[in-house]
């Protein structure tokens, strides 16, 4: 049967025992005239699909976490989930939140364990629109540069989260956005921060400002050094 794969191709496949796990595609015929129904379903469906190459069958796992912003009935676009396997625990964070979600491997499934909210109170929040008005989202989001998690690193003795706080509309609206130079200048106004948690997900320190000009990658080496430039 046909399927639609929405997610970006960022580390798309994970080893899962003798199976392969990947962001769940939308299976079946898509009615693009009913996108609100499609996203209502996406916001409550499992995140991963698991493929068994021996039996040529697939199943789902990693149920959508409870209590996220995506449960409030509004449209926030695709979640762009980022998955980080870490032994028996798997972590996931979404585009619109300063939180990550912890799952535990139990048998052949990933079961929700808990949500870790970074509690970044002074960040700009994402603005959604009612599902019935999702066509208005793009116009409303023009000046909504919201804070988000950029990267999450599970190191030997700690967890490091790289995030931004976004920019206020009053600042964003002063930059013309139809030229490369203006967009680059606007992006340079966004400050980057780090939060450090222990391996039990207890906050050690947050709002550690990354020096201006340093660009952090999503890669850390075996010694725990985060690669940047």
């Amino acid at each position: 049967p046909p399927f639609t794969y929405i997610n970006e191709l960022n580390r798309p496949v994970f080893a899962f025992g003798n199976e392969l796990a990947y962001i769940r595609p939308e299976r079946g015929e898509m009615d693009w005239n009913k996108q609100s129904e499609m996203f209502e379903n996406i916001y409550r469906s499992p995140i991963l699909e698991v493929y068994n190459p021996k039996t040529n069958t697939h199943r789902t796992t990693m149920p959508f976490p409870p209590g996220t912003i995506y449960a409030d009935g509004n449209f926030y676009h695709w979640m762009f989930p980022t998955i980080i396997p870490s032994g028996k625990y798997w972590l996931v964070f979404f585009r619109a939140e300063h939180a990550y979600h912890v799952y535990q491997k139990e048998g052949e499934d990933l079961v929700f364990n808990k949500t870790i909210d970074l509690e970044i109170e002074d960040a700009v929040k994402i603005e959604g629109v009612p599902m019935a008005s999702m066509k208005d989202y793009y116009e409303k989001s023009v000046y909504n540069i919201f804070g988000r998690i950029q990267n999450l690193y599970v190191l030997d003795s700690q967890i490091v989260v790289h995030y931004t706080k976004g920019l206020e509309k009053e600042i964003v609206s002063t930059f013309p956005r139809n030229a490369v130079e203006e967009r680059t200048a606007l992006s340079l106004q966004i400050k980057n921060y780090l939060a450090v948690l222990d391996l039990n997900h207890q906050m050690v320190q947050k709002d550690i400002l990354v020096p201006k000009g340093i660009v952090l990658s999503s890669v850390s080496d075996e010694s725990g050094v985060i690669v940047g430039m």
Side-chain angles (χ1 to χ4, degrees), residues 98 117-125 163 165 168 206-207:
H98 277 118
D117 190 340
L118 300 183
E119 299 182 353
I120 310 299
E121 301 297 338
D122 57 342
V124 176
K125 306 298 184 184
Y163 62 94
K165 297 184 180 183
E168 298 291 344
K206 62 183 177 181
D207 286 356

Side-chain angles (χ1 to χ4, degrees), residues 61-88:
T61 192
M62 187 179 274
F64 207 95
T68 72
I69 193 173
Y70 300 98
D72 69 2
N74 287 327
F75 173 69
Y76 294 102
H77 205 280
W78 176 243
M79 309 89 61
F80 294 96
T82 299
I83 311 291
I84 299 101
S86 180
K88 69 176 182 178

